Amino acid sequence: MRQLAVTNALLRTHPDHYDLDDYEGGVARWCTGCGDNAILAALQRLCRDRQLPPEKTVFVSGIGCSSRFPHYMNTYGFHGLHGRPLPIAEGIKIRRPDLDVFVTTGDGDCCAIGTSHWIHALRYNPDITVVMHDNGVYGLTKNQVSPTSPRGLRTNTTPSGSPLTALNPLTVTLGVTNVSFVAQCVDWMPEVVHDIVAAAHDHQGLSFIRILQRCPEYMDGHFEPWIRDPERLLLLTHEDGLQPSPSTSSTYRNQRDHDPADLAAARVIAETTDPIPVGILYRNDDVPCYEDLRRADHRFDPEEIRAVVDEELDRFTIWPTGAAGS
Amino acid sequence: MLTNGKPRVRPPILLDEHVIDVVSDSGEGAQRCGQTFAAIAARSGHGIWTVEIIPAEIRPPARSIAGASGIRVRIASADVTNGGDAADLVVAFNDQVLRGRLRAKELRPGCVVLLEDKWRTDADPDVAAAYSQLHDELSADGFVVHEVPMERECRRLVDDPWRGKNMFVLGLLCRVYDLDLALAREQVAMTFAKKSAEVIATNQDLLEAGWAWADEHLDLRFSIPTTQVDEARIVVNGNTALGLGVMASGMEVCAMYPITPATSASHYLSSVFERVGGVVHQAEDEIAAATFAIGASYAGKCAVTITSGPGLSLKQEALGLAVMGEIPLVVLDVQRGGPSTGQPTKAEQGDLLSAMFGSHGDAPKVVMAAADIEDCFYSVITARKIAETYNMVVVVLTDASLATAQQAFRRPEFSTDWLAPPIDQRPVPAGARPYDWDEHTGLARRFIPGQPGGMHCLTGLAHDRDSTVAYDPDVNQEAIRMRSLRLAALQRTLRPPTVRGDQEGELLVVGWGSTRGAIAEAVERVRADGHRVGALHLRFLQPLAPGIGEHLARFDRVLAVENNWSDRLEDPMIDDENRRYGNLAWLLRARYLVDVDCWGEAKGQPLQPGVIEAAIRTRLTQRVEVPR
């Protein structure tokens, strides 16, 4: 009977099944029509599908519209500094490989102020899922140009239009040593977003997903031509990659078979901006994870520390004359 | 041993202590020579302190005045707490590095000089002339110059004396200071422990050659009585002590970015940390190092980031995040000369106020400073414990003068009490809130990922007890009050510091960090002349320990002595209304409403007891009435 009581107590704290609402935190305060809402729904669905224990799941974000994300999840969340979610996530993972760590970041957070962390996180390759919400504009600070803004975009800091060509996050990512998973999708294809975040989560290593996302406030109508013409999306399909449902396939008929193991082909596809490639561009399961290289799961043992500290002190010790160890 | 035909040797001169400089071009091994010499002296029962003489460049040109590389060793009968004043004896591998020390006024009048003589006959007439000129100049000025054929003697044993001269000089010094040759041989074997038996044997031969040459040719013997050591002691430098402290504190993650002069602490830690499962993460920049450590702390035990001034500046926003999120974090700042790139290899105590107030907004942090090498070790252990007890950022300040200085101190006895307990992964009780601040102390238990029921979104935004974003002005103010209260709660637990020397009288000298030994020595010298002077040294700068105000009140005047700049009243532009004080003086004036005077230098060198003594004497002779 007592054992049964203990089991019951455990069951209360570890429910045997999580529903979608078990992952729902605060009410999302994004604008109506903002693509972030679709991404939130996809990630909550992923948590439910994979039955991730909320207490073992951490969403880390930077600053920006998309970085409000962790507030809307009922998991652990870390809403930190502009540009810095990646090193925070790496730090979490270095001693806690048992935690499922997600990073939600934006095009400003990741591709401007946090660029160096982006490059180096790819190289460290910790086992985290990075979702880069790319709406091509700064929203929270009210309409400034972003590195991924299209050339000519008029914003408060580029009133006569952005003079620069947009940075392509896919080619950058695919050029970094140790890159192990790169995918792209668009917020208006919820089924594909879900399938891709699921594949990303299941990948061992850093999964980088760029999600092109509508901003109804400052980029209203920007993606309309692509939404209205499914031919302007290039669906990358493969038995080891995205396998769209028949209904998706019947709408998005511009498809190409692409093996995610083929880095050279992935780089060529990444150069394409119109049509927009959607799918898994690259996956390599053989890149070691940083936390594995650094023995993240080592259990600290006070006696082991004592032994090593004593051994080290021995190296520097001057023993009194006649004492042991001299 | 050669006994016949050597010059009459006078009996050794009995001394309490000596300051010895060994200087060479960079790469000739003067530092290794001095370190080994200090270790032999310490093992013989001497008190020792070493200070490295570091050129700013990795490979400065040979025979350049600015390129002097080497080491100062102060050896004494009793314990030594600082590098002392000018050198009593200098060994120079060439005349130009010697001229560098002369220009820097680092040689005592009448100083003994042991000088490599090969330059006298150098093929380049300019070199030979420069050598002769300095030699004659020194002799005329009363220096006792002994020319030593270092290269010629070494060439009998090795083909490339450039790499062997240092051990020849070591043997020379061991003979001059009457140290045990067998012990010296043993120490040389330890110095080259990672090298082959052949390398060790060669270096021991060079050592003996130096010994024998001095025995035969040098009528120069000093004897410094030793104190019998009856306890095990360790000899390490400040940065190694920091690394040892990190390991002994039970911290598991150190994130850093290379920066002088802090990096060697991480070098040492990297060489040992993995043996206990620890990780030294060299991040892509200082900001990443700080945020990586913050992530590791948030999800586990308190982590540490190690840096120097410019790195501290870069980390400030992240430190504010740790304050806001109440994430424990230890920051080790090995200070260097600033601002900007400043003097990377030189000592300065310039970061106290930026460590306290550097992050934007009201971001209370604990700031402590290590007073000597031993303190570097224990400060890290204390810092870790405070960080995790109060969920605060703790900055430990050391500086370049401690980083490479070596001291012998009692061997620490490891205690498992030093270690952090395993992280709490128990379910959070129903109804518990992530920032359930105690009304009196501001303390709140932190929830660590993995704890069922503790899910919340930690945020750098102003937040309430549930960690939800605070839009209510009262909620923001309450959180600020709670984060502030914890410093007061810590302050109540601190032991009042004690005054050394006189407990009341004419002048109280207050210091912090690496200057403790030099200030104490200066104070003792003026007390010996009958002045009533005390020395107060502060280990905690934020919060300031209880009882300090009472100490200040018992003296006619208070002088803060720091290794940083403060305006001097003798400058015609400076008066009481525009004078900029030293870091500590600002603090003391603000806290205790006492008209604290200050004196400091910003020469990039450790403060020497002699210059502090002079500053104290100036204050004592100025009969200025200070309003109380």
Side-chain angles (χ1 to χ4, degrees):
Chain A
M1 282 308 287
R2 276 180 78 182
Q3 272 192 341
L4 189 64
V6 169
T7 313
N8 281 339
L10 285 175
L11 279 175
R12 278 203 301 278
T13 53
H14 297 278
D16 56 1
H17 182 79
Y18 299 103
D19 293 319
L20 267 182
D21 57 7
D22 287 319
Y23 299 100
E24 288 170 6
V27 177
R29 295 183 190 219
W30 291 308
C31 305
T32 307
C34 171
D36 287 337
N37 294 293
I39 301 168
L40 179 65
L43 282 164
Q44 286 173 340
R45 209 180 126 199
L46 164 74
C47 290
R48 194 270 318 269
D49 291 353
R50 293 291 184 272
Q51 287 292 296
L52 305 183
E55 71 272 12
K56 294 283 233 178
T57 308
V58 187
F59 277 82
V60 184
S61 67
I63 296 295
C65 290
S66 58
S67 289
R68 287 300 182 106
F69 198 99
H71 288 279
Y72 310 142
M73 296 294 296
N74 185 33
T75 60
Y76 279 89
F78 194 127
H79 178 207
L81 296 179
H82 196 24
R84 322 297 172 203
L86 287 165
I88 290 172
E90 293 153 15
I92 292 171
K93 204 70 186 173
I94 198 69
R95 299 289 315 156
R96 297 297 304 273
D98 57 312
L99 299 174
D100 244 308
V101 179
F102 294 83
V103 168
T104 54
T105 179
D107 43 312
D109 206 54
C110 180
C111 306
I113 191 168
T115 309
S116 71
H117 310 313
W118 168 34
I119 305 298
H120 290 278
L122 290 163
R123 182 166 164 257
Y124 301 137
N125 194 42
D127 185 17
I128 61 177
T129 303
V130 180
V131 183
M132 201 268 274
H133 304 219
D134 190 351
N135 60 5
V137 74
Y138 282 68
L140 194 67
T141 48
K142 307 213 184 307
N143 198 24
Q144 295 84 25
V145 71
S146 129
T148 61
S149 294
R151 187 167 167 202
L153 185 72
R154 291 174 193 273
T155 70
N156 284 331
T157 49
T158 54
S160 49
S162 165
L164 297 173
T165 307
L167 178 128
N168 183 336
L170 294 182
T171 55
V172 173
T173 304
L174 286 165
V176 178
T177 306
N178 278 354
V179 61
S180 73
F181 185 104
V182 181
Q184 176 163 273
C185 53
V186 292
D187 78 59
W188 60 92
M189 294 174 71
E191 179 198 299
V192 171
V193 174
H194 172 265
D195 288 354
I196 283 181
V197 295
H201 172 261
D202 295 347
H203 168 70
Q204 285 270 314
L206 190 148
S207 323
F208 180 85
I209 312 163
R210 179 196 191 199
I211 304 184
L212 293 169
Q213 175 227 328
R214 290 167 289 180
C215 174
E217 190 67 21
Y218 301 116
M219 295 282 278
D220 192 26
H222 173 67
F223 286 116
E224 273 313 301
W226 285 273
I227 293 169
R228 272 194 258 112
D229 181 5
E231 290 298 309
R232 289 182 71 176
L233 295 182
L234 173 64
L235 222 51
L236 307 173
T237 61
H238 193 265
E239 55 182 6
D240 291 331
L242 187 66
Q243 294 164 34
S245 67
S247 67
T248 301
S249 277
S250 64
T251 312
Y252 296 95
R253 277 177 295 196
N254 183 7
Q255 296 190 7
R256 172 180 165 177
D257 188 60
H258 167 66
D259 180 357
D262 188 344
L263 180 60
R267 284 176 174 159
V268 173
I269 294 166
E271 294 283 356
T272 315
T273 51
D274 195 5
I276 297 169
V278 168
I280 299 170
L281 282 91
Y282 183 61
R283 181 172 60 216
N284 180 352
D285 294 322
D286 297 330
V287 182
C289 294
Y290 191 63
E291 60 271 20
D292 294 336
L293 295 171
R294 306 308 305 267
R295 294 200 304 152
D297 56 353
H298 183 89
R299 292 184 76 87
F300 264 54
D301 171 5
E303 288 313 312
E304 186 181 43
I305 296 175
R306 176 196 297 281
V308 175
V309 169
D310 275 344
E311 213 174 289
E312 280 304 299
L313 290 174
D314 281 349
R315 283 179 53 202
F316 304 113
T317 296
I318 298 158
W319 298 98
T321 322
S326 65
Chain B
M1 270 298 140
L2 294 156
T3 47
N4 297 329
K6 69 178 180 183
R8 184 185 64 83
V9 175
R10 288 168 293 183
I13 300 164
L14 204 63
L15 301 165
D16 285 336
E17 63 154 88
H18 236 206
V19 175
I20 301 145
D21 281 3
V22 184
V23 282
S24 67
D25 281 340
S26 191
E28 287 186 296
Q31 286 167 359
R32 176 165 276 180
C33 166
Q35 282 159 358
T36 312
F37 177 70
I40 298 162
R43 293 182 73 187
S44 314
H46 290 106
I48 60 133
W49 188 283
T50 70
V51 183
E52 289 191 4
I53 300 158
I54 307 168
E57 297 167 60
I58 293 172
R59 276 273 180 270
R63 289 178 50 79
S64 66
I65 289 170
S69 163
I71 190 162
R72 163 164 293 183
V73 184
R74 189 181 187 192
I75 72 171
S77 293
D79 278 348
V80 188
T81 61
N82 65 86
D85 296 314
D88 299 296
L89 181 145
V90 57
V91 186
F93 289 34
N94 71 59
D95 48 286
Q96 292 305 298
V97 294
L98 179 61
R99 193 175 278 290
R101 298 303 280 166
L102 188 67
R103 282 205 187 153
K105 301 188 179 65
E106 291 292 353
L107 307 182
R108 194 183 288 284
C111 172
V112 178
V113 178
L114 302 178
L115 181 57
E116 161 71 274
D117 74 353
K118 74 163 185 163
W119 310 104
R120 184 180 281 287
T121 53
D122 197 274
D124 181 341
D126 291 344
V127 169
Y131 176 92
S132 296
Q133 190 194 343
L134 182 68
H135 176 273
D136 299 348
E137 200 179 303
L138 288 171
S139 302
D141 288 344
F143 290 92
V144 183
V145 186
H146 297 271
E147 297 183 81
V148 182
M150 299 179 194
E151 178 141 327
R152 192 190 71 207
E153 292 298 315
C154 290
R155 217 176 267 288
R156 295 175 197 272
L157 295 164
V158 289
D159 294 334
D160 180 14
W162 195 72
R163 289 219 176 268
K165 239 182 240 184
N166 60 342
M167 288 297 117
F168 178 84
V169 169
L170 176 66
L172 203 92
L173 287 172
C174 287
R175 184 70 205 97
V176 169
Y177 288 94
D178 217 14
L179 297 177
D180 184 56
L181 182 59
L183 192 64
R185 281 183 59 96
E186 205 177 284
Q187 193 62 41
V188 168
M190 284 171 73
T191 297
F192 294 96
K194 287 182 184 167
K195 299 285 170 67
S196 68
E198 195 190 341
V199 170
I200 292 172
T202 304
N203 280 288
Q204 287 173 329
D205 289 349
L206 287 161
L207 168 88
E208 292 203 359
W211 174 286
W213 189 89
D215 195 60
E216 193 176 355
H217 299 100
L218 213 52
D219 183 10
L220 186 68
R221 299 284 182 276
F222 298 113
S223 178
I224 300 168
T226 58
T227 312
Q228 200 55 44
V229 182
D230 56 2
E231 61 179 17
R233 313 182 105 202
I234 66 168
V235 178
V236 292
N237 68 32
N239 276 359
T240 302
L242 289 178
L244 277 168
V246 168
M247 193 161 62
S249 73
M251 287 193 278
E252 301 177 358
V253 174
C254 166
M256 50 70 68
Y257 183 80
I259 187 165
T260 304
T263 315
S264 66
S266 303
H267 292 175
Y268 172 69
L269 192 60
S270 301
S271 73
V272 292
F273 212 16
E274 286 188 5
R275 281 157 62 195
V276 294
V279 174
V280 175
H281 172 67
Q282 181 179 322
E284 59 272 23
D285 60 35
E286 294 280 0
I287 296 170
T291 44
F292 187 101
I294 286 169
S297 273
Y298 159 74
K301 293 178 189 170
C302 177
V304 59
T305 182
I306 306 180
T307 193
S308 297
L312 184 69
S313 296
L314 286 163
K315 290 179 200 294
Q316 291 285 8
E317 187 196 14
L319 300 190
L321 170 67
V323 171
M324 193 58 138
E326 301 181 29
I327 301 165
L329 182 71
V330 172
V331 181
L332 306 180
D333 173 20
V334 183
Q335 299 166 96
R336 68 191 221 185
S340 189
T341 310
Q343 300 204 92
T345 60
K346 308 281 187 188
E348 192 177 297
Q349 296 179 304
D351 299 352
L352 174 55
L353 295 177
S354 58
M356 290 172 67
F357 304 119
S359 206
H360 61 279
D362 184 30
K365 303 180 271 292
V366 178
V367 179
M368 27 188 318
D372 58 18
I373 312 302
E374 184 175 22
D375 214 15
C376 287
F377 176 77
Y378 290 107
S379 292
V380 182
I381 295 164
T382 307
R384 200 281 306 157
K385 197 160 254 187
I386 292 172
E388 243 156 351
T389 305
Y390 292 85
N391 291 337
M392 291 189 87
V393 175
V394 183
V395 183
V396 178
L397 299 170
T398 77
D399 63 48
S401 71
L402 292 177
T404 54
Q406 288 186 301
Q407 180 193 23
F409 60 91
R410 180 204 274 269
R411 185 186 203 267
E413 277 177 43
F414 177 79
S415 162
T416 49
D417 292 346
W418 293 348
L419 303 179
I423 56 167
D424 192 352
Q425 290 288 278
R426 294 169 300 174
V428 168
R433 309 166 85 181
Y435 294 99
D436 207 0
W437 297 302
D438 179 88
E439 260 311 302
H440 300 289
T441 61
L443 288 167
R445 166 187 165 178
R446 73 179 172 117
F447 296 171
I448 298 172
Q451 287 190 273
M455 289 82 76
H456 67 285
C457 182
L458 182 146
T459 177
L461 285 164
H463 51 263
D464 63 13
R465 287 169 187 257
D466 294 318
S467 197
T468 52
V469 178
Y471 296 106
D472 179 336
D474 290 337
V475 171
N476 180 52
Q477 181 165 293
E478 187 200 23
I480 286 178
R481 180 173 151 253
M482 291 301 165
R483 288 190 293 269
S484 184
L485 273 178
R486 282 174 297 156
L487 270 183
L490 169 63
Q491 190 264 358
R492 297 271 179 147
T493 70
L494 299 180
R495 215 177 299 153
T498 53
V499 171
R500 289 177 63 138
D502 289 293
Q503 298 301 303
E504 54 179 43
E506 298 162 75
L507 182 72
L508 179 68
V509 183
V510 194
W512 64 281
S514 63
T515 54
R516 182 173 69 185
I519 291 175
E521 197 167 324
V523 164
E524 284 315 307
R525 289 183 196 170
V526 292
R527 287 184 72 224
D529 295 345
H531 287 291
R532 300 181 63 228
V533 179
L536 175 64
H537 208 74
L538 304 181
R539 189 174 191 215
F540 282 90
L541 285 312
Q542 182 160 279
L544 287 160
I548 294 169
E550 290 151 38
H551 288 314
L552 305 189
R554 287 198 302 272
F555 289 83
D556 298 338
R557 308 172 72 183
V558 178
L559 175 68
V561 169
E562 303 172 70
N563 201 359
N564 58 39
W565 180 250
S566 49
D567 286 336
R568 296 179 176 179
L569 286 170
E570 55 265 34
D571 195 322
M573 185 61 78
I574 300 303
D575 61 28
D576 280 332
E577 288 198 4
N578 64 16
R579 184 184 191 192
R580 293 174 67 249
Y581 300 98
N583 284 216
L584 177 64
W586 281 117
L587 274 188
L588 297 178
R589 295 173 69 89
R591 169 68 63 191
Y592 302 105
L593 302 180
V594 169
D595 189 13
V596 175
D597 190 8
C598 53
W599 176 86
E601 277 188 350
K603 295 183 176 178
Q605 297 153 348
L607 288 188
Q608 295 179 345
V611 291
I612 299 173
E613 178 190 347
I616 293 174
R617 288 190 189 281
T618 309
R619 262 65 184 181
L620 288 171
T621 51
Q622 285 167 351
R623 285 265 160 253
V624 180
E625 206 49 53
V626 178
R628 300 299 306 273

